[in-house]
Amino acid sequence: MKDADQRPVGIIGAGNFGKAVANIIAENRDVLLFTRQPDKAQRINTTHEIDGVRLSARVFATTSLKELAEQCRTIFPIVPSRRFREMMQDLAPYLNPSHFLIHGTKGFALRDIDEDELPYRPFTRKNVCLMSEVIRQESCVLRIGTISGPNLAKEILAGKPAGTLVSSNFEEVIQEARLLLSSERFRVFTSTDVKGTELAGALKNIIAILSGILAARDMGLNLQALLITKGLAEMIRFAKGWGADEKTFLGTAGIGDLIATAMSPDSRNYRFGYRIGSGERLIQIQANLNELVEGIRTLIIVYHLSRHQRLRLPIIHTLYRIVFEDYPIEEAVRYLMTFPFDVDVNFLD
C-alpha cells in the first residue's frame, strides 16, 4: 500500500523503546522525537546518536509538544505508565480529533490516587486505567491504538528481526500503523482487542519478575516453564474481568511477549527478579535502579485489585509476598508446588 501522507510521525519518549520505534518508523517516514531535555535534543539533531544508540538520519528531536502536535498527525506516546497521565495532560491542549495516538506503554495509570500512596491505601477498578482510557479521559482524540509484543528494545536497536501486534477499534489506525512499522525486519499483526493487548503487555512483566527469581536460584527450566505457563493462566483470569478476549493472550502480545520478557536477561523485569533471587531486598535494588521496572508497580496494582475482586491468583499473590514481605523463596516454591491447581487448561471457552 502506497503511503501518500509524508508528514513526520511523532514519538513522545526517548527511552530505549522510543528510540527503537523511531528507527523502525524512520525506514518509512521522517520522525520527530520529543524529549524534555534540551541537551539530548541537540545531540540527536547534530549527531543522530544518543546514549550510545545510533539513530536514523530521518530522526529529529524537539522539546516542544506544540510543535510535535502541529507537525504530526500520528503520534506514538511511549513513556512510563506512572507518567502517562501527566504527559497526556501536557499534550492535550495541542491535539484535535484528527490526530491518531498509538501508544506503546505497558502498565496501568492511576486516577484520584497519588503515586506515593499506591502501596499504602486501598483502591478499586475505578482508580486504575489502561492507557487508552487515559487518552480518552484527557484529550479529544478518538482514533486510539496500541502496540505490544515481543519487542525487546535492545534487539530491535541491534537490527534483529521482530514483530508486534497493533490493536485498535479503528481500521484507519491499524492501516496507518502497518504503513509506518512494516519492514523486512519488522512484522506487524493486527487486532481489535485493545484491552486484551494492553493487559497482556502489562501483566507479563509480573511473571517475568518471578522467572528471574527462579533463574537466580537455578531451579531449572522445567519449573520456570511450569510457572510461566500457570502465570499465563492467571493473567487471563485477571484480564477476563476487564472484558478482554482470552485469545489475545495466546498470540503475539500474550504468550509471544511473555516468552521474550520472562526468559531474556535483556528484560528489566527479569533482571529485577534475578536480583531478588540473588538475595537483594527491594529497598536495596530501588536505591540504585537506573530504569523504571514496570512490573514492580503493576504487581502492586494487580495484587490489590485481585484481592478486592476475590480472584484466586496464587502465583501473583505469592510473588507479591516474596518481593514486598520477604517471604522465603524456597518456601514459596514449596507452596506453589503443592497448591491444588485446577485442570491444566481452564481458561478457554
Side-chain angles (χ1 to χ4, degrees), residues 5 7-12 29 32 64-77 87-88 90-103 132 135-136 138-146 168-174 176-177 180:
D5 188 344
R7 283 174 289 187
V9 174
I11 295 179
I12 300 175
R29 190 88 65 81
L32 192 57
S64 169
L65 288 173
K66 183 175 186 290
E67 179 186 10
L68 187 91
E70 288 177 347
Q71 292 197 28
C72 308
R73 181 188 69 171
T74 300
I75 300 172
F76 287 76
M87 177 277 300
M88 281 303 307
D90 292 341
L91 177 64
Y94 311 117
L95 297 173
N96 61 64
S98 69
H99 279 103
F100 292 11
L101 260 62
I102 307 170
H103 79 82
S132 60
I135 293 171
R136 285 193 293 271
E138 301 293 347
S139 77
C140 62
V141 174
L142 303 174
R143 292 171 177 82
I144 300 166
T146 183
S168 178
N169 298 124
F170 294 87
E171 180 62 24
E172 58 265 45
V173 174
I174 289 175
E176 173 81 346
L180 296 175

Side-chain angles (χ1 to χ4, degrees), residues 85-137:
R85 187 178 296 279
E86 178 185 2
M87 177 277 300
M88 281 303 307
Q89 291 171 344
D90 292 341
L91 177 64
Y94 311 117
L95 297 173
N96 61 64
S98 69
H99 279 103
F100 292 11
L101 260 62
I102 307 170
H103 79 82
T105 296
K106 298 178 178 180
F108 296 96
L110 299 180
R111 190 177 195 181
D112 302 324
I113 295 181
D114 186 87
E115 284 287 343
D116 294 333
E117 296 180 302
L118 180 59
Y120 309 110
R121 59 165 287 187
F123 53 89
T124 65
R125 168 68 175 92
K126 69 179 182 180
N127 303 118
V128 181
C129 303
L130 300 172
M131 303 306 133
S132 60
E133 295 171 335
V134 175
I135 293 171
R136 285 193 293 271
Q137 292 163 3

